[in-house]
């Protein structure tokens, strides 16, 4: 019987290490600080977490638009977009989900190194997943936003019909139904997902002001309750 493969902290089997001489990391002549200064902003990762239907992607996209209209250089990484591209070879097993978060974390880090404000919208249900993502960034560069929306509210929205299928047993290991969600213990920003979208945006912008460098004008489109994300 073959021994089981060693597993790293994100739950995926470890591959055989390549000789160290093959990996020679070269620091860019242009630093992250210089790239950020060129864009007149502080590069950072704003990481939205919460149940399916909590409103993460809705709010993340509105924040993206608002910051863009204020002259920021931003980008949104959401679960569906990444599952369609860099993670389209992964399943929804525990190991697949862990690797999904790991890859998105690494992409977010590279984009922050490029001087961008990266907005991640991902259920990322386990504290360990989010802690591993946080470790990639210096202090103050990773901002965890917990969209605390009750399960009942998320089920009422259920635009994709996922909760209904999960209740019928058609989707195994569905977060909030048959798989646990671990709320953050010390998120930088905690929002009540039942509040109107405009209120959530205002609350978040106020919390982000110390991190960002100049005044932010609120987008006029934030006038409806936060929906499925």
């Amino acid at each position: 019987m073959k021994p089981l493969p060693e597993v790293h902290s994100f739950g995926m089997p470890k591959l055989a290490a390549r000789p160290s001489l093959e990996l020679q990391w070269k620091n860019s002549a242009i630093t992250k600080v210089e790239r950020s200064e060129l864009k007149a902003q502080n590069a950072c990762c704003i990481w939205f977490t919460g149940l399916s239907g909590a409103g993460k992607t809705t709010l993340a996209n509105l924040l993206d638009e608002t910051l863009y209209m204020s002259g920021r250089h931003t980008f949104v990484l959401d679960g569906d977009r990444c599952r369609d591209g860099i993670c389209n070879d992964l399943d929804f097993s525990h190991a697949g989900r862990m690797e999904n978060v790991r890859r998105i974390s690494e992409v977010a880090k590279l984009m922050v190194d490029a001087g961008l404000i990266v907005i991640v919208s991902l259920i990322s249900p386990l504290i360990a997943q989010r802690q591993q993502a946080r470790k990639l960034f210096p202090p103050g560069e990773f901002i965890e936003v917990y969209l605390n929306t009750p399960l009942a509210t998320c089920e009422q929205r259920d635009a994709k019909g996922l909760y209904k299928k999960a209740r019928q047993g058609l989707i195994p290991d569905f977060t909030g139904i048959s798989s646990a969600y671990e709320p953050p213990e010390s998120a930088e920003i905690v929002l009540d997902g039942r509040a109107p979208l405009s209120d959530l945006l205002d609350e978040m912008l106020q919390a982000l002001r110390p991190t960002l460098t100049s005044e932010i004008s609120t987008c006029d489109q934030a006038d409806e309750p936060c929906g499925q994300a």
Side-chain angles (χ1 to χ4, degrees):
M1 182 176 179
K2 294 183 179 180
L4 293 174
E6 187 181 359
V7 175
H8 62 47
S9 60
F10 275 91
M12 293 294 287
K14 284 186 175 180
L15 301 178
R18 292 182 292 178
S20 59
L21 292 179
E22 293 184 22
L23 300 174
Q24 297 183 2
W25 178 267
K26 298 292 185 181
N27 290 325
S28 173
I30 305 168
T31 67
K32 175 172 57 180
V33 172
E34 290 169 331
R35 295 180 191 277
S36 299
E37 288 177 347
L38 182 65
K39 300 174 178 63
Q41 65 185 28
N42 290 327
C44 63
C45 175
I46 303 171
W47 188 286
F48 284 84
T49 180
L51 294 171
S52 176
K56 300 181 300 299
T57 299
T58 302
L59 190 55
N61 284 325
L62 183 58
L63 176 64
D64 179 44
E65 182 178 0
T66 301
L67 294 180
Y68 172 83
M69 295 299 292
S70 295
R72 303 315 203 287
H73 298 256
T74 61
F75 197 80
V76 175
L77 295 171
D78 68 70
D80 286 349
R81 173 180 289 173
C82 293
R83 281 282 184 180
D84 190 52
I86 61 169
C87 297
N88 66 4
D89 60 324
L90 300 176
D91 58 20
F92 287 88
S93 65
H94 175 74
R97 290 175 178 179
M98 296 293 280
E99 176 65 7
N100 182 57
V101 176
R102 189 195 70 81
R103 290 185 190 180
I104 294 172
S105 303
E106 293 287 355
V107 171
K109 180 184 183 299
L110 291 174
M111 298 181 81
V112 170
D113 286 347
L116 296 175
I117 297 171
V118 183
I119 305 167
V120 177
S121 173
L122 198 62
I123 293 174
S124 47
L126 303 181
I127 291 175
Q129 293 172 320
R130 302 189 297 269
Q131 287 177 338
Q132 288 293 332
R134 184 184 290 273
K135 288 178 182 178
L136 297 176
F137 300 89
E141 214 172 77
F142 184 90
I143 303 166
E144 189 174 23
V145 181
Y146 173 34
L147 203 51
N148 185 10
T149 308
L151 177 61
T153 302
C154 295
E155 288 200 69
Q156 288 173 359
R157 293 170 178 171
D158 203 15
K160 300 177 183 178
L162 299 179
Y163 282 101
K164 182 179 180 180
K165 292 180 180 178
R167 292 289 188 189
Q168 295 172 343
L170 300 177
I171 303 179
D173 300 322
F174 189 81
T175 304
I177 302 299
S178 52
S179 183
Y181 177 82
E182 299 175 352
E185 296 175 343
S186 56
E188 282 76 10
I189 302 174
V190 179
L191 303 173
D192 185 342
R194 297 168 296 184
L197 188 55
S198 57
D199 291 351
L200 294 175
L201 180 63
D202 286 342
E203 184 178 349
M204 188 164 49
L205 291 177
Q206 288 296 326
L208 288 172
R209 285 189 193 282
T211 301
L212 305 176
T213 55
S214 60
E215 290 300 309
I216 312 163
S217 58
T218 303
C219 180
D220 294 334
Q221 296 183 13
D223 56 1
E224 59 186 45
C226 203
Q228 172 79 18

